[in-house]
Amino acid sequence: MKLIEIYIHEVTRRLPEQNREDIALELRSTIEDMLPDDYDEKEVKAVLAKLGNPAILASEYRDQPMYLIGPRYFDLYVTLLKMIIPIAVVVSLIALVADYLIGYSGDKTVADIVTAVISTGIGTFLEVGIQVFFWITVVFAIIERADKGKEGHPLTTKLRKWTPDDLKDIALVHKKKAITSFEVFGSLLWTAIWATVYFNAEHLIRVYRGGEGALNFVAPAFNQHVLLDYWPIILIVIGLEVALTIYKLIKRQWTRKLALCNTALELIVLIVFAVILINPNVFNQEFINYMSNLLNTTANQFETGLVGGGIAILILVAVLNIYEGFRKARL
């Protein structure tokens, strides 16, 4: 019957040419076995409906998914998108602001600068978001098709199919003790922000003086070459922060061990940045002189207060973070 031939054609045309003839014979035999000896069009339609959409049946013969990202990796895919896209966008926007500050010559008003940053920032936001989305999708699409496990079951953290035994590894977590995805994302975002600012401090942390509707550049607050002298230890700190964040993502709750790791990291960060701040050359001298004159104090007093205040803030932040870690671990 013509409907059978059309159905077989619709299936085989979606398959590699070298396999079409064999599959057409197999499919025709299957259909004939499902039909009675004296069949009519109504019975043919019922059999074809049971076999289903030709495109889906063809995908089963090809043993390839019809979707781009399947259920096996979809949860991990969405999680990474939610985490990486905002971080990439924020870092790119910080770099955009730094670029405007580098090229600022003092001939534009504050309103002009803000308008330019906003308009360019929207384009940058869309461009970076699309780029990250595209490449993450491409990577996962390749993984999806390279994976030989065709069960389609979502992967667990142990990279295998879920079983009830996996519930034994999960503890009921107190709401105030749990580490949320937002907290993990916030940690990564904060690391990305301060690292970007640190390596662009000369352009991002500057003093401007307003006058006649425009901003006049006075001096950068930091000596960038001094900050870059510490780049190896800064990279280690960044790596430790990312490692701790990943550990939080795995544990999903505050424990005593996690609180101890957090304490060690906070102490390392405190020591590293305290050493950087007490370096006598870390602050730009023009910045020190301008601010001391503005505040009607001596350069030495202003610098001492700035260093002391910075270290005090570092100590306060470290103490609060350490306390919060142990408090949540004890719940």
Side-chain angles (χ1 to χ4, degrees), residues 1-4 31-32 34-49:
M1 183 175 284
K2 189 176 181 181
L3 284 179
I4 297 176
I31 294 173
E32 290 175 352
M34 296 173 67
L35 289 169
D37 292 335
D38 187 18
Y39 57 85
D40 55 22
E41 183 176 336
K42 183 178 180 181
E43 290 169 326
V44 170
K45 288 182 178 179
V47 168
L48 297 183

Side-chain angles (χ1 to χ4, degrees), residues 133-148:
F133 173 80
F134 172 78
W135 286 112
I136 292 179
T137 303
V138 167
V139 170
F140 271 88
I142 293 173
I143 294 174
E144 181 80 47
R145 279 143 187 81
D147 187 3
K148 300 304 180 182

Side-chain angles (χ1 to χ4, degrees), residues 10 18-19 60 92 152 168 217 231 240 254 286 317:
E10 282 296 295
Q18 64 270 21
N19 300 332
E60 292 176 0
S92 64
K168 298 177 181 178
F217 171 62
W231 71 264
L240 290 174
W254 281 94
E286 291 182 45
V317 171

